[in-house]
Amino acid sequence: MQFLALSGSLRRDSINSAVLRAAKRLAPDTIDVQLCSVLGELPLFNPDQLDNPGEAVRRLWYAVAQADALIFASPEYAHGVTGTIKNALDWLVSFEPFAFKPVAVINTSPRARHADAALRETLTTMAAHLVEPASVSLPLLGAHLDEDAMVSSAEWAPAIRSMLLALSEGVEQAVGSDPECAFQGL
Ligand SMILES: Cc1cc2nc3c(=O)[nH]c(=O)nc-3n(C[C@H](O)[C@H](O)[C@H](O)COP(=O)(O)O)c2cc1C
């Protein structure tokens, strides 16, 4: 199973990016977590460019189409989602393979309620399939842990692994409930 992980922070020492890198390392053999590295290269969304969006957008579209599920982890900026993540989502609004994609939303800050709610609202509006058991709060802000420390943490490593397993179960349930897949015996 392939998961695409999207961080809403471009900051070098980003907690959100670190937790996604940790998830890649903690994933069981059955799950491959790819980190989406193209978000900082996307042009600002312009509907006029949808027919010829350029290399970075095509890479995003390809990665999303290939993924069985998406994992979002984004900071809150001024009570909203970051421009980085909103811009990426705007490029995906009319991208058909995004619809019904199972997604997990990770919130790394216990006080960032507005961005978490806004991200969920946008994803739901875009017809993503929000997998609630995998959409968890991992309040790592202030814990002063880097990626290595998260991977070796007795508290956080199991929580991150549980999130991945919950998302994989969400994918399996979504496939099982898709009448087209059932018809094709997939
Ligand atoms: C421009 C800016 C605005 C922020 N606004 C908020 C906010 O409204 N609410 C909040 O809880 N944290 C806010 N923060 C704090 C960030 O969410 C926090 O530093 C977070 O860890 C950044 O994520 P990162 O480590 O992945 O880059 C803001 C930070 C920045 C740089």
Side-chain angles (χ1 to χ4, degrees), residues 106-145:
I106 309 303
N107 186 0
T108 58
S109 167
R111 60 168 199 255
R113 289 171 290 107
H114 300 280
D116 188 59
L119 186 50
R120 284 162 173 260
E121 173 67 20
T122 300
L123 289 166
T124 307
T125 302
M126 290 169 64
H129 169 54
L130 194 61
V131 179
E132 283 295 348
S135 296
V136 290
S137 178
L138 301 171
L140 286 152
L141 183 68
H144 305 293
L145 299 179

Side-chain angles (χ1 to χ4, degrees), residues 38 41-43 49 52-63:
V38 80
E41 296 166 36
L42 298 176
Q49 291 171 5
N52 192 14
E55 175 67 18
V57 176
R58 288 193 192 287
R59 278 167 55 207
L60 173 69
W61 284 349
Y62 180 77

Side-chain angles (χ1 to χ4, degrees), residues 149-170:
M150 290 178 200
V151 169
S152 55
S153 160
E155 181 181 7
W156 299 111
I160 293 168
R161 228 182 257 119
S162 296
M163 176 275 292
L164 292 169
L165 293 174
L167 186 56
S168 70
E169 279 169 23

Side-chain angles (χ1 to χ4, degrees), residues 7 9-11 13-17 74-80 108-109 111-113 141:
S7 170
S9 176
L10 301 178
R11 207 166 64 83
D13 296 327
S14 160
I15 296 163
N16 289 281
S17 301
S74 178
E76 176 169 291
Y77 283 175
H79 285 191
T108 58
S109 167
R111 60 168 199 255
R113 289 171 290 107
L141 183 68

Side-chain angles (χ1 to χ4, degrees), residues 94-106:
S94 55
F95 182 60
E96 219 172 288
F98 181 86
F100 311 116
K101 191 74 77 176
V103 300
V105 176
I106 309 303

